[in-house]
Amino acid sequence: MQGEVWYPSDDVVAAAVVPDHDALAAAAAADPVGFWADRANELEWFEPWEKTLDDSNAPFFKWFTGARTNIVHNAVDRHISGPHKNKLALIWVGENGDHATYSYFALNREVERMANVIRSMGVRKGDRVTIYLPRIPELHFAMLACAKLGAVHSVVFAGYSADALHDRVNASESKLLITADGAWINGQVFPLKGIVDEALRFSPSVENVIVVRRTGQDVTMDALRDHWYHDLVALPIAKGRCETVKMDAEDPLFILYTSGSTGKPKAIVHTHGGYMVGVYATMKYVFDLREEDRYWCTADPGWITGHSYLVYGPLLNGATAFMYEGGPTYPYPNKWWQLIEYYGITIFYTAPTAIRSLMRFGDAWVNRHDLSSLRLLGSVGEPINPEAWRWFHRVIGKERCPLMDTWWQTETGAFQICPTPSMPLKPGSAGKPFFGQAVEILDEEGRPVPAGQEGLLVLTNPWPAMLRTLYREDERYVESYWSKFPGKYLAGDAARVDEDGYVWVIGRSDDVIKVSGHRLGTAEVESALVSHPVVTEAAAIGLPHEVKGNAIHAFVVIKPGIEPTLELGEQIRQHVGAQLSPIAKPDTVEFVYSLPKTRSGKIMRRVLKARALGQDEGDLSTLEAD
Ligand code: WT7
């Protein structure tokens, strides 16, 4: 094999769920649909499927048609009548030192109580519920309670601004919103309920708001709309069993908003059946799950990683998941290592941006802790640079733990390109397509490029956990993913495949910027910029950043007569943070007299990027004359 390769030890290979990666890959390649049918058969269904894959109306693919199921049946219900009943499902630690554990039995009790409450508010199958909660166990309960009733959850990351929350609540026409009084962030209270009040000023669909008490400060409660969760669960309606609604495999499970290259965020739709099978199988094979594992995914359930591999994946596998409310560096940069040691975490899944930021604090913070419980590491969200890979592998994993670099997207629901632990690894490469998947690297005209050459990444096989559409925007779904190269799923990433078949993802090829692994559309950032009263035009680009991967650099044109001061630049930065989310705050705001545009009026971000990096600006022939 070419380049830097890390070979797994014989013990790791022998003990792996998939000891021979290539053999299973070959079998799955010969019959991808059969591979998925076998995985689906490892789970329980109320009614079997008639057809594993229905591609008669592609790209509106359907999986397990005719089958009846509910993801909660497989994630929770089946465990309480089996050997996992008293196994821990969730270990939770709050930033302020609070902690709680839930066995599968206890988790089911809490989910039933919340489902009873939600149902009593008139929420039924198909209704949308927005969840805006910090990383506390109620977030699990709320997601599972919605799914149990057949309601469609839409989780909005609790760092999002009132405007962003407002847009997502209204676009999904949510009937109910579940939130908390506040969240703990670096020892401070972040006032969630105040943001909710602002967000819901013009949200006619929302009938009720459930408020979980977390931080305890005074909040304003609207007597007709707002209810404390602890009051509701004390009522008789919360008591008793709550039946899991039998869903069609293709019924929607959730909507999750993510950024696209144009306009408003995309509402990605996932289903009960296919999503369940995809998440279950990828989690088991790639993280090599064992009965005694204690698994920690540091992602927030506000993103797809939290949905698939913090909430649903571990539960579908009957595993024990760990969730921590806070971040890695508060009060000191050893917080995560301390938690791994104390709780005996065995599988640790995090993001390159976190690794890079922790690396900077030096090895001594890590070496104060015994991390010998760890046996497998994972990375997600953006390409992991070889230097960060090596540090994670050596200093955290002690060169003992396989490091699974998993490539996937909100749209794909589950891993698509990733190694399994029995496979040799190349630092910086996400490995090979997952079993049953195949990729191609194409040029602009759709021709495959030779090995080693960069091009556009497409997935060529449908897979169960794929998005079904964009909520109420079928056309945009087809246009965004299936129209450039008909029959192939356009990922929006640039990548190359080397001689050994390993995929190297380079980054987004569209107008999406990955900042600390979070996805931001230039269009969204620009619309936040121009909503500032003095900004008339704006362009946002991503520039390489040592820790964040990319940082946003904004170019703004301001009204004539206004002075471009440092204070104004700072004000504009803060404005974007408040309009969109703190993640979207540009690192730098540069005042310019005009923006380079094509004759048809499109901003040439490529030119701006080259300028900012001091590089050759390339072909300017389509540039509008000044
Ligand atoms: C984009 C999807 C799905 C997890 C969280 C992100 C980038 C994700 C990797 C990886 C290189 C990666 C891609 C992709 N990405 N994982 N292991 N190596 N790039 O989900 O917010 O929908 O973003 O994240 O650019 O297209 P998302």
Side-chain angles (χ1 to χ4, degrees), residues 305 380-383 405-410 493 508 514 519:
T305 309
V380 65
E382 56 178 320
D405 178 4
T406 60
W407 180 93
W408 58 298
Q409 309 177 296
T410 309
D493 278 15
R508 296 295 303 195
K514 279 259 152 176
R519 204 164 139 171

Side-chain angles (χ1 to χ4, degrees), residues 417-550:
I417 305 170
C418 53
T420 65
S422 60
M423 186 174 135
L425 303 172
K426 297 193 185 192
S429 161
K432 296 184 177 181
F434 185 74
F435 309 117
Q437 188 52 281
V439 306
E440 283 177 3
I441 309 293
L442 306 177
D443 67 14
E444 278 293 330
E445 276 70 53
R447 290 177 301 235
V449 304
Q453 206 166 307
E454 187 179 327
L456 301 173
L457 173 68
V458 296
L459 306 178
T460 58
N461 287 346
W463 63 100
M466 66 199 302
L467 77 163
R468 293 305 188 266
T469 189
L470 299 178
Y471 187 63
R472 292 180 179 164
E473 292 190 298
D474 285 347
E475 257 170 53
R476 189 175 175 204
Y477 163 69
V478 178
E479 167 61 31
S480 306
Y481 306 104
W482 303 96
S483 64
K484 191 171 175 78
F485 306 123
K488 293 169 182 175
Y489 171 85
L490 180 72
D493 278 15
R496 60 190 164 83
V497 176
D498 70 17
E499 307 270 343
D500 301 311
Y502 280 62
V503 182
W504 299 75
V505 176
I506 292 140
R508 296 295 303 195
S509 61
D510 56 4
D511 288 325
V512 168
I513 308 173
K514 279 259 152 176
V515 179
S516 301
H518 300 304
R519 204 164 139 171
L520 291 163
T522 51
E524 280 171 292
V525 179
E526 289 162 6
S527 97
L529 285 163
V530 296
S531 73
H532 186 282
V534 310
V535 178
T536 56
E537 277 187 280
I541 59 166
L543 293 181
H545 184 278
E546 222 182 294
V547 173
K548 298 196 246 187
N550 295 287

